[in-house]
Amino acid sequence: MKKVISQILKILLPLILGAIILWFVYRDFDFRKAGEVLLHDMNYGWMTVSLIFGVMSHVFRGWRWKIALKPLGADPKTSNCVNAVFFSYIANLVLPRVGEISRCGILAKYDGIPFSRSLGTVVTERIIDTLCILTISAVTLLLQMNVFKSFFRETGADLNDITAVFSSAGFYIILLSVLAVGILLFLLLRTLSLYERVKGTVRNIWEGIMSVRKTGQPYLFLFYTVMIWFCYFMQFYITFYCFEFTRHLGILAGLVLFVGGSFAVLVPTPNGAGPWHFAVITMMTLYGVSATDAGIFALIVHGIQTFLIILLGIYAMAMLPATNKIT
């Protein structure tokens, strides 16, 4: 019974957290305006280009993963690696961060690759991705320091006025998000402690982590890494051209919003729903976009990108059994 309750809470709590933040962000919002923009004013051509970059970011991730697995003596089908990545994102919609585990399970099922070894390569990927976003963030921070200072003031994080800090609703959203990330990290560490009880698992994970150094294709691995993050950024930045009220925003504004959104999705809600909207809307208004238009942008862009994740996940669920024969 405790396990059932625990699983239910793991699914419900992220949904509740996301719903609370979404309610706060859109509590006075006129959704009819978003519907009008979606039906009559949005440029679907640019949105299609954006979604193509979104698909390619996952494809490059699948190709990179295949390279990382080679030093382990594993040679999974390329399509399995890509479809496993597709599936991992839809799995994260159900239970945040479970996707990384699910894709290892897919290769264990269809290619016979030990779960713990492939998990090691995923851990390595996450470390590399963290270094990438930190690098992008540092560069963006140096280029747009004033914007970030304004963001912190708008969210009540200006320590020059401690009263304003604790009276700002934005501050409490950030605090709630930080607490949620802390709880997620605790659960992940506890999960890893369970793995440590299994004989040989820690060694296999370590071998997976160190395998990236022995890929034999370091430049291709680096190229795929650059392309993953280039596609992530382009998927987001191109959406500016889908709406009249964001066309004027330049590439530096795109970087600032991209960085803010990237950190927001660390909060364990389905596809960052809630925290991502809050971050993007707050930062977009600093560039002169009205709160209503920023709300429309965040609602439509996040909704369409989430729909893409669902479609790719369904595609993966159909293709994996269709292209593999389990003996």
Side-chain angles (χ1 to χ4, degrees):
M1 178 61 74
K2 287 184 178 180
K3 282 188 175 181
V4 174
I5 295 175
S6 176
Q7 291 300 320
I8 292 175
L9 288 176
K10 286 180 180 179
I11 294 174
L12 286 181
L13 290 180
L15 289 173
I16 293 171
L17 175 62
I20 290 173
I21 298 177
L22 280 173
W23 171 83
F24 171 81
V25 173
Y26 286 100
R27 65 192 184 282
D28 299 320
F29 187 75
D30 186 354
F31 289 93
R32 289 175 299 179
K33 291 183 179 179
E36 292 173 2
V37 171
L38 181 64
L39 294 175
H40 306 295
D41 300 325
M42 191 179 79
N43 188 313
Y44 281 88
W46 281 114
M47 184 59 73
T48 300
V49 175
S50 167
L51 296 179
I52 290 173
F53 275 105
V55 174
M56 288 308 302
S57 69
H58 304 329
V59 172
F60 280 121
R61 184 173 290 280
W63 291 349
R64 186 182 70 172
W65 193 27
K66 181 179 174 69
I67 292 177
L69 288 164
K70 281 185 177 180
L72 302 177
D75 188 25
K77 292 172 64 174
T78 302
S79 61
N80 285 349
C81 291
V82 173
N83 284 323
V85 170
F86 286 165
F87 180 82
S88 70
Y89 283 92
I90 194 174
N92 282 334
L93 292 180
V94 179
L95 186 60
R97 303 299 174 257
V98 77
E100 286 76 4
I101 296 174
S102 68
R103 62 173 163 135
C104 296
I106 287 173
L107 291 197
K109 178 178 181 180
Y110 292 112
D111 292 289
I113 299 172
F115 177 89
S116 55
R117 287 195 172 188
S118 59
L119 180 62
T121 62
V122 173
V123 171
T124 303
E125 280 192 349
R126 286 309 173 203
I127 293 173
I128 292 172
D129 289 336
T130 300
L131 292 175
C132 288
I133 190 58
L134 288 177
T135 301
I136 295 170
S137 300
V139 172
T140 305
L141 184 63
L142 290 174
L143 294 174
Q144 296 281 272
M145 178 67 75
N146 290 333
V147 175
F148 282 101
K149 287 182 179 179
S150 298
F151 172 75
F152 291 129
R153 284 196 298 270
E154 289 290 326
T155 55
D158 186 357
L159 298 181
N160 292 325
D161 187 351
I162 195 67
T163 303
V165 170
F166 293 105
S167 63
S168 168
F171 169 78
Y172 288 103
I173 287 182
I174 293 176
L175 179 61
L176 186 62
S177 297
V178 170
L179 289 174
V181 172
I183 293 171
L184 173 65
L185 290 174
F186 170 76
L187 292 175
L188 288 176
L189 289 173
R190 191 175 68 173
T191 301
L192 286 176
S193 70
L194 293 176
Y195 284 129
E196 290 176 2
R197 299 174 192 173
V198 181
K199 183 179 179 180
T201 298
V202 174
R203 183 183 68 251
N204 286 340
I205 292 176
W206 179 251
E207 287 178 1
I209 292 174
M210 299 305 293
S211 68
V212 175
R213 299 195 314 172
K214 306 173 184 177
T215 59
Q217 297 175 296
Y219 295 112
L220 186 58
F221 187 92
L222 177 61
F223 172 74
Y224 287 158
T225 299
V226 171
M227 291 306 298
I228 288 168
W229 284 95
F230 174 74
C231 288
Y232 280 160
F233 174 71
M234 292 303 294
Q235 179 188 17
F236 176 72
Y237 177 62
I238 286 176
T239 58
F240 287 178
Y241 295 97
C242 297
F243 310 94
E244 288 296 331
F245 48 77
T246 53
R247 284 178 181 272
H248 68 283
L249 298 178
I251 195 166
L252 288 179
L255 279 170
V256 170
L257 269 69
F258 176 72
V259 168
S262 296
F263 280 103
V265 297
L266 293 176
V267 181
T269 63
N271 200 28
W276 187 88
H277 295 76
F278 171 75
V280 169
I281 292 171
T282 304
M283 302 189 94
M284 188 168 279
T285 57
L286 300 178
Y287 285 95
V289 179
S290 71
T292 298
D293 288 341
I296 292 172
F297 173 89
L299 191 66
I300 292 178
V301 170
H302 187 272
I304 290 177
Q305 291 181 352
T306 301
F307 184 63
L308 174 66
I309 287 173
I310 294 172
L311 287 180
L312 293 177
I314 293 173
Y315 169 82
M317 286 187 281
M319 293 303 296
L320 282 165
T323 57
N324 293 276
K325 292 182 179 179
I326 304 176
T327 56

